[in-house]
């Protein structure tokens, strides 16, 4: 367990709950970028105005920056306020606060506020800074005022568009990173579930003893282990392999388990000649066979029989893994895609890994065939007892 | 002094043979009484043969090596030296830190020669030290309490917490009796079933105590024996016997229950 923890990448940091907190974090992370955008815009406006009337550049920059900063502040404030209201409304209704709040809801009232109040406050601030007295914003007769108003309006709209697309870009990048991380984590867990350390070390322990007792058999066992390991490591790279190869790898795995369990494990593989070349996802059956051993036969004192069969039924390929072991502990677990969550099966050795194995088979089937494929795990309905896992999928075409 | 005697419990025949062969070369004086392949036999054979050393695999059919050791400690006869226990485990069957913390002897598969030699030397020293009638069960009990406490009811630490059970549903034919958990006086394991005993009635449910235990409130329901879980408020009195076991009388039930030595520490004056 300890090793498993340390080799997995740390889980992605929890999403902050609450619209206010989320908006605040978004604003904080983009603050410098926003100031840069607004600053550049204001500098551009000041340069433009100076070019038009040819008079002092300094005061124009101060006024332009004042208006820009005030407008940005107003938009940010409005976004925070709307987020806060959103939180309060949800709390009042007893709902949990949002985890995926889109902070731009507040930008529209913010923009309106910025366009109306922004120039007025900005000019006043500019007056304070420069010590001059500019014409009142409300004096629309002054061409200066009109230019100021139009420019603030344009500036606000442009900066909003630029900043929002920057923010969207950043969040898209974060989402892509999270997805990549999740995929890597998934891959690692898949590999870990297939290369189950307990199986690996126990097999090696048996091999170690066998070397001293029967070198030829030890060599044969080692060959099986090698082909099983190679198939496991290749499984994520290949899209499919022939059903016959799938059965060979299952045979390798069962032979390794046979050395370990001795007479307690009997196996039977039924693959009709006609189905040998059908392409199937690599090692699709392996987690089911592993579960049959781990939860069916290993805990069962007298052991039992594992039967792996393939059948064509109409337009469907039906793959079954059946054991005569301990069974499902009285809890029938019949799940199809209607209930994708695997019901936990209480067995002495139930580990999160085994559920991952079943979930992973389901996931692969969904990805490939949507709801045209299904995995069911149920008590075997005959006198021998045990468990039957059945995969139904559209009959693959020969390639 | 008689030659030391050992019992090996290991479900994989090759590994059992391997351990036996390695022990034969490292400890020629050790007499291996028997090799058994499941947890239930491990306990019964150890009780019958009374070895000095037990090598118990953790993951075995029937019951785990840890549960076998629990059964052994609960039923071990008075006045006989308790065997030295060595647990054998592959990879992360059981958090090895738990073994370390309880100073329990353990071997990790594949067992290399050096590690086994060290283990043998320690066992020999401990056997030589126990000349007087030192029984040694108290230490074993303390260790087992620590191990079982670290993983209540199972060998899988870190299992997800299960929802609390509110009613027990006991099926008889096509009739299901619903029994509120708080009415249950005690649960008793009976083969693959659990007997559910209330003040008035008795029901059978098809589950194991091991599956049931994590769904009960540990404050209200006390395990007092590997096969018995009692609701604490239904215990009338507890009397400590010579053997170290504790006899419990119940409120609302005439029979008495036995708390094993492993759980006797639960009953002490405030």
């Amino acid at each position: 367990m300890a090793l498993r923890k340390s080799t997995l990448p740390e889980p992605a940091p929890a999403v902050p709950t609450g619209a206010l907190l989320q908006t605040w974090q978004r604003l904080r992370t983009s603050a410098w970028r926003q100031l840069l955008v607004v600053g550049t815009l204001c500098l551009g406006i000041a340069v433009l105005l100076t070019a038009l009337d040819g008079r002092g550049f300094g005061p124009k920059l101060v006024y332009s920056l004042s208006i820009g900063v005030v407008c940005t502040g107003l938009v940010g404030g409005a976004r925070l306020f709307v987020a806060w209201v959103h939180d309060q409304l949800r709390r009042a209704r007893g709902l949990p606060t949002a985890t995926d709040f889109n902070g731009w809801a507040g930008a529209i009232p913010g923009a309106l506020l910025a366009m109306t109040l922004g120039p007025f406050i900005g000019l006043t601030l500019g007056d304070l800074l420069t010590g001059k007295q500019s014409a009142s914003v409300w004096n629309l007769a002054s061409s200066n005022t009109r230019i100021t108003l139009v420019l603030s309006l344009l500036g606000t709209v442009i900066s909003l568009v630029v900043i929002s697309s920057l923010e969207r870009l950043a969040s898209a990048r974060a989402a892509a990173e999270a997805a990549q991380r999740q995929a890597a984590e998934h891959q690692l867990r898949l590999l870990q579930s297939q290369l189950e350390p307990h199986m690996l070390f126990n097999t090696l322990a048996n091999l170690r003893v066998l070397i001293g007792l029967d070198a030829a058999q030890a060599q044969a066992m080692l060959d099986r282990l090698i082909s099983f390991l190679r198939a496991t490591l290749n499984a994520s790279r290949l899209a499919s392999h022939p059903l016959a190869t799938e059965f060979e790898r299952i045979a390798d795995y069962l032979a390794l388990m046979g050395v370990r369990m001795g007479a307690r494990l009997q196996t039977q593989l039924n693959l009709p000649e006609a189905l040998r070349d059908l392409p199937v996802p690599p090692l699709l059956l392996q987690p089911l066979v592993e579960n049959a051993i781990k939860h069916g036969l290993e805990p069962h004192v007298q052991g039992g029989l594992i039967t792996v069969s393939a059948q064509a039924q109409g337009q469907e390929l039906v793959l079954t893994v059946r054991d005569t072991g301990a069974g499902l502990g009285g809890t029938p677990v019949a799940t199809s895609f209607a209930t994708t969550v695997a019901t936990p099966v209480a067995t002495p050795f139930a580990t999160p890994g085994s559920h991952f194995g079943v979930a992973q088979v389901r996931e692969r089937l969904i990805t490939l065939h949507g709801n045209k494929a299904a995995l069911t795990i149920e008590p075997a309905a005959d006198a021998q007892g045990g468990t039957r896992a059945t995969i139904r999928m559209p009959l693959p075409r020969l390639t | 002094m008689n030659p030391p005697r050992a019992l090996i419990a290991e479900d994989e025949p090759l590994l059992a043979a391997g351990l036996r062969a390695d022990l034969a070369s490292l400890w020629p004086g050790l007499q291996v009484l028997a090799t058994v392949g499941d947890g239930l036999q491990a306990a019964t054979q150890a009780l019958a043969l009374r070895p000095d050393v037990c090598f118990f695999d953790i993951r075995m059919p029937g019951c785990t090596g840890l549960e076998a050791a629990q059964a052994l400690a609960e039923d071990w006869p008075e006045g006989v030296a308790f065997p030295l226990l060595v647990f054998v485990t592959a990879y992360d069957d059981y958090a090895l830190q738990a073994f370390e913390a309880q100073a329990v002897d353990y071997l990790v598969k594949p067992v290399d020669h050096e590690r086994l030699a060290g283990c043998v030397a320690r066992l020999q020293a401990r056997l030589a030290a126990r000349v007087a009638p030192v029984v040694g069960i108290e230490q074993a009990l303390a260790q087992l309490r620590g191990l079982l406490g670290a993983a209540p009811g199972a060998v899988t630490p870190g299992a997800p917490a299960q929802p609390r059970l509110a009613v027990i549903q006991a099926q008889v034919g096509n009739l299901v009796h619903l029994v509120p958990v708080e009415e249950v006086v005690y649960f008793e394991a009976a083969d693959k079933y659990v007997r559910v005993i209330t003040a008035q009635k008795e029901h059978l449910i098809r589950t194991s105590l091991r599956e049931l235990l994590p769904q009960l409130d540990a404050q209200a329901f006390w395990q007092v024996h590997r096969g018995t879980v009692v609701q604490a408020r239904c215990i009338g009195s507890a009397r400590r016997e010579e053997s170290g076991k504790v006899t419990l009388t119940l409120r609302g039930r005439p029979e008495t229950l036995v708390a094993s030595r492993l759980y006797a520490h639960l009953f002490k004056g405030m």
Side-chain angles (χ1 to χ4, degrees):
Chain A
M1 263 347 209
L3 186 117
R4 199 163 291 180
K5 249 177 216 149
S6 62
T7 50
L8 276 180
E10 286 296 308
V15 184
T17 55
L20 183 62
L21 201 63
Q22 282 181 316
T23 311
W24 170 244
Q25 286 197 353
R26 242 184 254 183
L27 282 175
R28 215 181 47 184
T29 48
S30 65
W32 286 111
R33 222 178 300 132
Q34 290 202 24
L35 282 179
L36 199 69
V37 170
V38 172
T40 316
L41 208 64
C42 293
L43 188 70
I45 289 172
V47 168
L48 189 75
L49 286 178
T50 315
L52 282 178
D53 69 1
R55 278 183 291 175
F57 168 72
K60 289 199 179 68
L61 185 62
V62 172
Y63 278 106
S64 155
L65 275 176
S66 305
I67 297 175
V69 168
V70 165
C71 287
T72 314
L74 284 172
V75 173
R79 286 177 64 186
L80 285 175
F81 179 73
V82 167
W84 178 77
V85 170
H86 186 268
D87 277 351
Q88 293 303 315
L89 284 177
R90 285 187 70 92
R91 280 207 191 96
R93 277 184 288 162
L95 295 168
T97 50
T99 51
D100 54 349
F101 183 71
N102 180 355
W104 287 99
I108 295 156
L112 292 176
L113 210 65
M115 287 178 213
T116 47
L117 288 179
F120 177 71
I121 303 175
L123 281 179
T124 316
L125 185 67
D127 283 349
L128 279 175
L129 289 174
T130 55
K132 290 183 184 172
Q133 179 69 51
S134 51
S136 164
V137 202
W138 310 116
N139 179 7
L140 288 177
S142 152
S143 69
N144 265 349
T145 310
R146 266 180 286 169
I147 290 174
T148 308
L149 278 178
V150 168
L151 284 179
S152 323
L153 232 118
L154 267 176
T156 307
V157 170
I158 292 173
S159 68
L160 268 181
V161 168
V162 172
I163 290 169
S164 76
S165 41
L166 279 179
E167 248 183 57
R168 212 167 302 153
L169 209 67
S171 74
R173 199 178 301 138
E177 267 167 26
Q180 208 168 10
R181 199 187 167 104
Q182 215 168 14
E185 198 172 318
H186 188 268
Q187 195 76 19
L188 195 60
R189 295 225 312 177
L190 178 65
L191 204 59
Q192 255 175 355
S193 78
Q194 283 173 339
L195 279 186
E196 209 228 342
H198 180 267
M199 180 260 173
L200 207 54
F201 282 107
N202 253 324
T203 305
L204 290 173
N206 273 280
L207 204 50
R208 189 179 176 280
V209 175
L210 207 54
I211 288 168
L213 294 179
D214 184 343
Q217 212 203 328
Q219 219 163 43
M221 190 182 181
L222 192 56
D223 289 343
R224 295 275 198 178
L225 182 61
I226 289 167
S227 60
F228 174 74
L229 287 181
R230 184 166 291 140
T232 305
L233 293 170
N234 282 337
S236 56
R237 266 181 273 152
L238 286 174
S240 70
H241 66 187
L243 195 52
T245 311
E246 177 79 3
F247 269 64
E248 274 167 36
R249 296 294 80 81
I250 298 298
D252 285 334
Y253 178 76
L254 287 173
L256 291 174
M257 294 308 296
V259 174
R260 290 179 44 195
M261 294 173 68
R264 288 180 59 233
L265 174 64
Q266 280 144 43
T267 61
Q268 198 183 330
L269 302 180
N270 307 325
L271 175 60
E273 201 56 41
L275 305 179
R276 288 183 60 86
D277 296 328
L278 292 183
V280 290
L283 297 190
L284 183 69
L285 290 175
Q286 208 270 334
L288 303 180
V289 174
E290 194 181 305
N291 271 1
I293 298 238
K294 203 157 141 191
H295 304 305
L297 302 189
E298 263 191 350
H300 207 42
V301 174
Q302 53 281 35
L305 171 72
I306 287 191
T307 315
V308 184
S309 343
Q311 260 185 302
Q313 286 181 3
Q315 285 308 300
E316 277 191 330
L317 174 64
V318 181
L319 303 168
T320 46
V321 177
R322 188 258 159 89
D323 66 76
T324 60
L328 292 166
T331 354
V333 178
T335 44
S336 64
F337 288 137
T339 51
T340 357
V341 183
T343 312
V345 186
T347 61
F349 307 125
T351 56
S354 65
H355 297 310
F356 179 75
V358 172
Q360 175 242 322
V361 174
R362 283 213 170 91
E363 221 169 273
R364 289 175 83 182
L365 287 174
I366 291 180
T367 318
L368 287 171
H369 303 291
N371 59 4
K372 290 201 188 82
L375 164 67
T376 44
I377 300 176
E378 63 204 347
D382 59 34
Q384 288 169 304
T387 309
R388 183 198 307 276
T390 312
I391 292 177
R392 290 178 173 275
M393 55 194 266
L395 199 64
R397 261 174 243 272
L398 274 177
T399 44
Chain B
M1 199 178 155
N2 296 328
R5 304 171 323 143
L7 176 76
I8 295 175
E10 164 64 67
D11 59 319
E12 302 193 13
L14 264 177
L15 297 187
L19 182 59
R20 206 171 170 146
D22 284 350
L23 281 172
S25 71
L26 280 168
W27 195 351
L30 185 74
Q31 182 193 354
V32 177
L33 296 170
T35 310
V36 297
D38 66 82
L40 304 173
Q41 276 201 58
T44 50
Q45 287 298 303
L47 282 168
L49 301 170
R50 298 189 190 170
D52 302 295
V53 185
C54 289
F55 293 90
F56 280 1
D57 184 21
I58 288 293
R59 198 149 132 172
M60 279 189 290
C63 69
T64 69
L66 223 52
E67 288 165 326
Q70 175 179 7
L72 198 59
E74 294 193 326
D75 297 346
W76 195 253
E78 198 56 19
V80 180
F82 193 69
L84 302 177
L85 294 175
V86 181
F87 291 107
V88 187
T89 177
Y91 188 59
D92 62 357
D93 274 351
Y94 192 83
L96 297 183
Q97 303 96 296
F99 288 131
E100 293 280 1
Q102 299 302 324
V104 174
D105 266 311
Y106 67 90
L107 295 167
V108 180
K109 292 190 260 191
V111 183
D112 65 82
H113 225 64
E114 238 169 86
R115 184 80 176 76
L116 186 61
C119 177
V120 163
R122 257 194 321 279
L123 292 171
Q124 284 170 333
R126 283 171 60 195
L127 282 178
R130 85 184 194 189
V131 272
V134 180
V135 174
I137 195 165
E138 281 311 321
Q139 192 199 352
L141 285 174
Q143 290 173 336
L144 281 173
R145 267 177 215 134
L147 289 177
L148 296 165
V155 287
T156 45
Q162 292 192 29
R164 293 262 172 271
L165 210 59
V167 280
I168 304 284
Q169 307 202 19
Q171 187 163 8
V172 185
N174 45 17
L175 183 68
V176 179
H177 293 282
L178 278 82
V179 185
V181 167
E182 51 283 2
E183 282 181 21
V184 177
V185 178
Y186 64 96
F187 296 96
E188 192 173 58
D191 197 15
K192 283 179 181 170
Y193 298 85
V194 167
R195 291 172 61 214
V196 181
I197 288 109
T198 66
Q200 289 86 29
K201 288 194 81 171
E202 182 181 326
H203 305 274
L204 268 187
I205 51 173
R206 248 197 74 177
T207 176
S208 69
L209 208 54
R210 171 163 48 191
E211 290 165 77
L212 190 65
L213 209 50
Q215 303 176 54
L216 297 173
D217 177 6
Q219 295 292 316
F221 286 89
W222 295 4
Q223 181 161 28
V224 296
H225 188 275
R226 67 179 183 280
T228 322
V229 175
V230 196
Q231 181 159 191
R233 65 178 182 86
C234 297
I235 302 172
S237 68
R239 179 196 301 276
R240 194 171 283 259
E241 307 293 339
E242 291 272 298
S243 62
K245 293 179 182 175
V246 175
T247 307
L248 306 176
T249 62
L250 300 169
R251 296 179 212 279
R253 293 291 306 185
E255 66 268 34
T256 59
L257 295 177
V258 174
S260 74
R261 279 183 287 221
L262 199 56
Y263 300 100
H265 66 289
L266 291 174
F267 304 98
K268 52 182 187 286
M270 287 178 99

